[in-house]
Amino acid sequence: MKTVLITGASSGYGLETARYFHTQGWRVIATMRRRQEDIPPKSDRMIVVPLDVTDAGSIAACVEAAGPIDVLVNNAGIGLAGVFEATPMAEMRRIFETNTFGVMAMIQAVLPGLRARGAGVVVNVTSSATLAPFPLAAIYTASKAAIEGLTGSLALELAAIGIDTKLVEPGYGPDTRFSANSGMPVAELIPEAYAAFTQPIFEAFGQPPQVFTTATDVAETVWRAVHDRSGQLRFPAGPDAVALWEAAGGR
């Protein structure tokens, strides 16, 4: 029986990915900052472990509790929407601590075990914001773009020890509560000088999207990335992300 460790599995993409791997017969280590055992299906193959990817002690305890794993899915992340000029540096650093350094820390923590076994897969979930520029998402995009660069380089060096490294790039998911876990309300990040620019953007986002990404899209794409042996690095998830990926040349 294979084991996958998924960060940020309390809701949205992470929860659906945990459930998907579980239905395929895998042992799933579903991690989350606040333990919520009533969310995933009750099963001896669904193990809920608390994890704060910004805390070294929490990471070490999680990896020890998980035991040997075959796949790491770095899904935990924080959204942030707002004007760059108005975003405090402390908030920028908080976003990077989770979205960027948290991913790096998790990879470093599991690599010794994967290397000892000479096999495994690391999947980093980023965003379609890395495929095309979006307004009011500069910090979030930067935090995810850093992981894109990291993953491309790691794919080369980890292949030498039998480990595959993949990127999954989800599109816009209306149900993901993008900024819900941000430390600042969006209104505080929109100065009056930018009001004319931001108003039509927020109005557009207030309308039901015609094309969007579902949690199932992401779960199925993560599964496909884990089992891919073609050498493909990037896997867009959701029809909107696929369209952006194709427009970028399917790189």
Side-chain angles (χ1 to χ4, degrees), residues 20-31:
Y20 191 90
F21 274 76
H22 181 267
T23 63
Q24 301 300 319
W26 283 50
R27 176 174 175 263
V28 178
I29 311 297
T31 75

Side-chain angles (χ1 to χ4, degrees), residues 28-48:
V28 178
I29 311 297
T31 75
M32 54 199 70
R33 282 183 296 177
R34 288 176 291 276
R35 194 181 185 109
Q36 303 176 54
E37 294 196 54
D38 59 325
I39 292 182
K42 297 291 185 181
S43 167
D44 59 0
R45 291 188 292 106
M46 182 69 76
I47 303 165
V48 178

